[in-house]
Amino acid sequence: MQSRTHKITTTSKGVDHAQFLAWSSAKATEVILVPEIETSLLAEPPASMVTVSNDILYKIFLLAFEDHPRTIPLVVSHVCRRWRAFALGSPILWTRLIFDRSGVDSFGRERVWVSRSNGAPLDIEINGKAFEESGDGAQRVRRMMQVLEPHAGRWRSLRLSNIPNDTFIILGNLLTNMAVPNLETLVVTHRTWRPRNTKWTFRPFQTTGAPQLRRLTLRSTPIEWDSPLFHNLHRLTLGVLGVPWADQVFVASKVYNLLSQSPDLEELIVSSVGGFMGSPPRRKLQPTDDAWSIPPALDGVPSIARPKLTKLFVDSSEVIDTLLQSVQMPALKALPVKYRMTPSMAPIICNNNRLPCLIELTIDTGRDTKAEAAEASRLAFRAEHISMLQELLSTLNSLEELRFENFHFGEGDKWTRCLTGSCPKLKRLTLISCEGLTEQGIYEVVNRRKNAENMQALDVLWILQCRNLASMTEGCVRWFTVNMERFVLSA
């Protein structure tokens, strides 16, 4: 979002009210007071401001507070007597506590804000900037907690970002026995984790837990897999340290445990680094592997259903395949962009775990079709897999984008027929390094969907490195270009 700066001019009678209201409407991202406001200059507002009702004034304050929670309470409480009285009587304006000022040890301003919040829920942020200057970080963090701990029962959200590792350990220990019965959101992020004590793990709120915690984000923060923080969450983002990601069954079992502890989970993001970066390892099958073989499953665990889960991002396609065998996700909409589903998953999805809400999918044999065209062709002609692919696509009623990579469609577009009558909401189709395609077969798919009453017409078609279609006729290219929003053909 482009930054917008707005100057509010002060006069002998205080702040120019018209300028402030204009700024509130524009919701500028930076406010400059010229010159600094003095409390002694407070004055009564002009007659036009007297007519503004308290309800409208409150809404103006809240709109401005959303973008500038630190500056707005100070600005509106120094405009005039009425505004000051109204601001001091609005506890919500004083509920955002941000500790990011280095060299500050007394935290007098924060104490004043806590007193003015008058029992309202508190949103707290402690930033690493507060520890940038040399000094005793341990003493500073203890003084912060002296301000916050008496009001722990009012904590609604707690965000801890980029605090020096050793200072964070002290803070984590202070949080261990703290009771936070109303905490809903906890976010802890670090750029790196290299403390002196390498065996320490984050164990906050051990005595009473956090019974209302619903949103949890931990990046580059050491924590036990069985932490009580993982219970009854709605959204979980977890950057995992020291996990052997090469052992997909081990990782899948840990992620399964996370899912089992939160029946109402809606989003789960688990990464091998500080946070999910959108690039999980690409599936590479060995020459002896079979793209049609079932991936390893979890032994001795019951199948569970997570009916509210809409987003599952894990840094491994194999781990996702293993989870799909044990966790039913009927509301799932999003998987990682680079997740590759092999044809071996078709029976599992069709028979045990249908995904009618999925928006986007890539199907990939994991093989180099140019080098193994004969083998891929042999696999492609397995009648049971042809019918299973058609059934798989018929279950994806919400799919809007479909990609095939390293896929053999059989002689004479034997598999493209599946695309003419399935996935009714499909808008974008991508074919990468695929074999067995003909321009006539692709034309029939696009044309039939275009003319079918119950089908979404294909808007976008990408054909990349598909050698059978590299020499598409000029007339066919022209037809695709005219009848689609975007058509790309690349050898």
Side-chain angles (χ1 to χ4, degrees):
M1 178 177 175
Q2 186 177 359
S3 177
R4 300 189 301 276
T5 301
H6 197 90
K7 292 184 178 181
I8 300 179
T9 306
T10 65
T11 67
S12 60
K13 296 183 179 295
V15 175
D16 187 300
H17 304 82
Q19 290 188 34
F20 180 78
L21 290 174
W23 169 79
S24 298
S25 301
K27 296 183 71 175
T29 57
E30 183 180 357
V31 60
I32 299 177
L33 303 179
V34 186
E36 184 177 358
I37 302 171
E38 296 182 6
T39 307
S40 60
L41 298 180
L42 296 180
E44 291 296 339
S48 60
M49 288 302 300
V50 176
T51 61
V52 176
S53 69
N54 285 345
D55 289 341
I56 294 177
L57 194 62
Y58 185 68
K59 291 180 180 179
I60 293 174
F61 287 0
L62 288 185
L63 285 173
F65 178 74
E66 290 176 3
D67 289 343
H68 303 276
R70 168 178 289 170
T71 57
I72 286 304
L74 297 176
V75 171
V76 299
S77 62
H78 289 74
V79 172
C80 63
R81 292 186 180 91
R82 181 195 175 203
W83 282 30
R84 181 173 179 80
F86 196 82
L88 296 180
S90 302
I92 193 173
L93 297 181
W94 310 97
T95 56
R96 181 78 178 272
L97 304 178
I98 304 175
F99 295 82
D100 65 352
R101 297 181 298 158
S102 62
V104 177
D105 291 325
S106 61
F107 304 110
R109 185 184 69 180
E110 287 75 11
R111 294 178 186 273
V112 170
W113 284 40
V114 169
S115 66
R116 291 177 178 177
S117 64
N118 196 26
L122 297 175
D123 298 309
I124 302 162
E125 178 181 339
I126 302 178
N127 193 288
K129 294 179 181 179
F131 306 94
E132 287 181 349
E133 290 189 4
S134 60
D136 189 347
Q139 183 181 24
R140 187 169 299 167
V141 77
R142 289 190 178 97
R143 289 180 176 175
M144 289 180 184
M145 296 312 296
Q146 289 175 0
V147 177
L148 297 173
E149 186 173 3
H151 309 278
R154 294 200 280 136
W155 293 9
R156 177 171 55 190
S157 67
L158 177 63
R159 289 174 168 82
L160 312 173
S161 59
N162 301 320
I163 299 174
N165 293 168
D166 294 322
T167 302
F168 179 79
I169 290 178
I170 296 173
L171 175 58
N173 291 336
L174 293 174
L175 295 174
T176 298
N177 297 318
M178 194 170 294
V180 285
N182 295 302
L183 188 69
E184 299 175 1
T185 301
L186 175 61
V187 178
V188 183
T189 61
H190 296 95
R191 293 189 182 94
T192 59
W193 183 256
R194 297 190 184 93
R196 296 189 185 94
N197 182 358
T198 58
K199 296 182 179 180
W200 182 86
T201 56
F202 186 47
R203 299 180 179 181
F205 324 128
Q206 290 292 302
T207 303
T208 59
Q212 299 301 319
L213 188 65
R214 296 296 179 262
R215 291 171 291 277
L216 175 62
T217 297
L218 300 173
R219 290 190 175 95
S220 297
T221 303
I223 191 168
E224 301 292 341
W225 284 98
D226 58 353
S227 170
L229 292 179
F230 297 138
H231 292 182
N232 300 317
L233 295 172
H234 290 174
R235 292 177 176 84
L236 172 59
T237 299
L238 185 61
V240 187
L241 300 176
V243 175
W245 283 81
D247 187 347
Q248 67 191 62
V249 176
F250 171 82
V251 177
S253 66
K254 297 302 182 183
V255 178
Y256 172 89
N257 290 337
L258 295 177
L259 287 165
S260 66
Q261 295 179 70
S262 295
D264 295 325
L265 197 66
E266 299 171 5
E267 295 183 4
L268 175 60
I269 301 174
V270 182
S271 168
S272 58
V273 293
F276 183 75
M277 307 308 294
S279 299
R282 182 182 174 88
R283 183 192 305 275
K284 289 292 185 182
L285 299 181
Q286 300 299 320
T288 56
D289 293 338
D290 192 338
W292 306 93
S293 62
I294 303 297
L298 297 175
D299 295 329
V301 299
S303 176
I304 59 175
R306 289 297 171 263
K308 296 183 179 180
L309 189 68
T310 61
K311 183 176 183 178
L312 175 64
F313 279 17
V314 182
D315 271 8
S316 168
S317 293
E318 292 83 353
V319 170
I320 293 176
D321 286 349
T322 300
L323 290 172
L324 287 172
Q325 298 180 66
S326 303
V327 184
Q328 297 181 21
M329 313 172 195
L332 190 66
K333 294 182 179 180
L335 288 166
V337 173
K338 294 192 176 182
Y339 165 70
R340 267 67 180 154
M341 179 181 287
T342 62
S344 62
M345 291 299 296
I348 296 171
I349 302 301
C350 293
N351 299 327
N352 303 317
N353 200 357
R354 296 199 169 202
L355 304 173
C357 298
L358 197 64
I359 302 295
E360 184 177 345
L361 179 64
T362 297
I363 299 177
D364 186 355
T365 64
R367 294 178 178 272
D368 182 351
T369 57
K370 296 180 180 178
E372 303 181 23
E375 175 67 5
S377 179
R378 182 184 67 81
L379 293 172
F381 286 135
R382 293 184 181 180
E384 66 273 23
H385 289 128
I386 295 176
S387 60
M388 192 61 71
L389 176 67
Q390 185 169 358
E391 184 177 353
L392 169 65
L393 296 179
S394 69
T395 67
L396 303 175
N397 296 327
S398 299
L399 201 70
E400 297 180 5
E401 182 166 356
L402 177 61
R403 293 180 294 271
F404 285 94
E405 295 190 21
N406 306 309
F407 201 83
H408 200 293
F409 282 84
E411 295 299 330
D413 293 308
K414 194 165 188 176
W415 283 34
T416 55
R417 71 184 67 168
C418 303
L419 301 173
T420 60
S422 58
C423 305
K425 296 184 179 180
L426 190 65
K427 300 177 182 179
R428 298 174 293 277
L429 176 63
T430 302
L431 306 169
I432 303 176
S433 300
C434 293
E435 297 286 332
L437 295 167
T438 66
E439 63 178 63
Q440 180 63 30
I442 297 299
Y443 164 79
E444 290 182 2
V445 170
V446 176
N447 191 46
R448 288 184 182 180
R449 296 185 67 92
K450 179 175 179 292
N451 296 318
E453 294 183 358
N454 59 343
M455 288 286 168
Q456 165 72 41
L458 283 175
D459 296 331
V460 178
L461 175 61
W462 290 69
I463 302 176
L464 308 175
Q465 301 175 0
C466 298
R467 54 183 178 179
N468 290 34
L469 299 176
S471 58
M472 186 176 291
T473 62
E474 183 178 347
C476 195
V477 171
R478 187 183 303 109
W479 187 88
F480 284 126
T481 303
V482 170
N483 288 276
M484 308 189 75
E485 291 184 5
R486 185 171 178 82
F487 172 68
V488 176
L489 176 63
S490 174

